[in-house]
Amino acid sequence: MTTPPDIRVHLVSDPTYLSGVRDLIAAVARRLSFSDDACGQIALAVDEALANVIRHGYDRRKDGPITVSIWPLPGDNGHPRPGIRIVVEDEARQVDPGQIKSRDLDQVRPGGLGVHIIRQIMDEVVYEKRTGPGMRLTLVKRVPDPAARPTCADCTCSSAPSKPAPNT
Amino acid sequence: MPDDSAINVTSETIGNAAVVTPHGDVDLARSPVLRNSLRQVQNAKPGRLIVDLTMVDYMDSSGVATLVEALQIARKNNTRMVLCGMKDRVRSIFEIARLDTVFSIATSRESAMTA
C-alpha cells in the first residue's frame, strides 16, 4: 500500500509495550465501527503478531525495532463493509513465509498457537520478506455484515460459523 | 521505567485445594510470573488446583501456554486442575485454540471446589 498510514507507531521489541499497542488498536478499531468483541479480538491478533516477532524474530531481544502501521479501509464495490488494515514490520531474522503455519491443535501442548489465533481472527493474513532486513505482516479485518452473520457476527466462539482451517 | 511484568499472583490453600489467583493482564510480559507461581504451588502436589481468573481481563497465547504446562504437570501429579471465573474475552482465546474442552472450567470458585 503506497498511501501513508493514518497512524504509525515505532516501538522496540520489549513485551512491556504490548499492552499499550493493544489499547491503541482496540481504540482505533472501535472508532472504525467494530464491536467491542471484535476490537478485543483484533487487538489480540496484533498482540500475537508482535509476540511472535519478539520471541522468534528477535529471540526475546528487547531492543529490536518494530513498526505498526494502521489504515482505515472504506467500503467499496469489492468490499462493501469498511475495515482496518494493520501492517507489522520488523528488522528481525527473515523466514520463508511458507514456513509460517499453524500447528495441529489436536496436540495439547504449550506454544505455537499465535499464528492459528491470528488466522482465525483476521480476514486477510499475509507474511512477506521485506526488501531490506526483516518481515512484514499485513492484517485486514472487515466489519462483519450483520445481515450475513446475525449471531456471533464477529467472534470465533463455538457457536460462530466455522472458518476454513488455515493452510489447507 | 515501570516494571510492567509485576503481575500480582496470590495463592492460598482451602482444604486439599490450592487456589491461584492472578490479577491483571496475562501476556508475554507477565505470563512468566504466573508460570513461576503455578510451579511453586504444584511442587506441593495438591489434590486440587484451582486457577481463579476472575481478576484477569486479558490473556494471550503465552498465558494459555502457561496454563497448558500447568495442566500437563497436574496430570502427572494426579492433581485435579480447574479454571474458574473466566470472562468472555478470556474464554474466547481458549475457544479459538480449541482448549475449552480440554480444561475443566467452572463458573465460580465455589463450583470449582467440586467440579
Side-chain angles (χ1 to χ4, degrees):
Chain A
M1 174 168 284
T2 55
T3 308
D6 279 16
I7 299 171
R8 176 165 283 163
V9 176
H10 299 280
L11 66 153
V12 291
S13 53
D14 185 334
T16 300
Y17 302 119
L18 291 176
S19 61
V21 176
R22 289 197 302 270
D23 289 346
L24 170 68
I25 295 292
V28 172
R30 192 165 291 114
R31 288 290 180 145
L32 297 176
S33 303
F34 285 94
S35 68
D36 283 348
D37 282 347
C39 292
Q41 298 230 318
I42 295 167
L44 172 62
V46 174
D47 180 290
E48 295 292 346
L50 294 173
N52 279 344
V53 170
I54 293 169
R55 280 188 295 201
H56 305 301
Y58 287 118
D59 292 326
R60 294 184 181 268
R61 249 180 59 206
K62 291 187 174 182
D63 61 348
I66 302 174
T67 302
V68 179
S69 305
I70 304 170
W71 289 261
L73 296 177
D76 55 33
N77 289 340
H79 297 280
R81 309 292 298 174
I84 188 170
R85 181 191 305 274
I86 303 161
V87 174
V88 177
E89 295 172 291
D90 61 63
E91 297 179 16
R93 182 176 58 242
Q94 290 189 324
V95 296
D96 179 356
Q99 299 299 311
I100 303 172
K101 295 179 179 176
S102 307
R103 71 166 170 81
D104 181 1
L105 295 185
D106 289 336
Q107 301 170 2
V108 179
R109 60 174 175 82
L113 293 171
V115 174
H116 170 78
I117 290 167
I118 294 166
R119 291 192 188 279
Q120 283 292 305
I121 292 172
M122 304 304 289
D123 296 329
E124 295 176 31
V125 178
V126 179
Y127 288 93
E128 304 167 277
K129 289 182 181 177
R130 296 177 67 210
T131 306
M135 300 293 292
R136 176 184 300 111
L137 169 60
T138 301
L139 304 170
V140 173
K141 180 75 174 177
R142 296 278 177 178
V143 175
D145 181 354
R149 304 170 80 179
T151 60
C152 295
D154 45 7
C155 76
T156 51
C157 72
S158 53
S159 55
S162 60
K163 286 188 173 186
N167 295 312
T168 56
Chain B
M1 179 183 299
D3 181 6
D4 197 44
S5 64
I7 183 178
N8 180 27
V9 182
T10 58
S11 58
E12 58 190 303
T13 302
I14 303 174
N16 75 332
V19 182
V20 175
T21 307
H23 297 248
D25 292 358
V26 182
D27 62 8
L28 186 62
R30 291 167 156 184
S31 57
V33 182
L34 175 59
R35 179 179 293 109
N36 288 340
S37 297
L38 287 167
R39 288 272 170 84
Q40 283 184 1
V41 166
Q42 289 188 288
N43 283 340
K45 300 186 178 180
R48 181 177 292 264
L49 171 62
I50 297 171
V51 182
D52 187 344
L53 299 172
T54 306
M55 304 305 293
V56 175
D57 289 327
Y58 177 84
M59 183 177 290
D60 72 2
S61 67
S62 71
V64 172
T66 298
L67 294 175
V68 170
E69 280 179 27
L71 179 64
Q72 291 175 331
I73 294 169
R75 285 174 172 170
K76 284 181 189 168
N77 293 344
N78 289 318
T79 295
R80 173 76 168 157
M81 180 175 166
V82 183
L83 309 181
C84 71
M86 205 180 273
K87 295 177 179 172
D88 287 347
R89 190 174 172 193
V90 174
R91 189 181 186 102
S92 72
I93 190 171
F94 284 82
E95 292 174 341
I96 293 170
R98 299 180 204 162
L99 289 168
D100 53 315
T101 57
V102 172
F103 282 94
S104 296
I105 299 174
T107 53
S108 66
R109 184 184 291 202
E110 290 68 31
S111 56
M113 296 296 289
T114 54

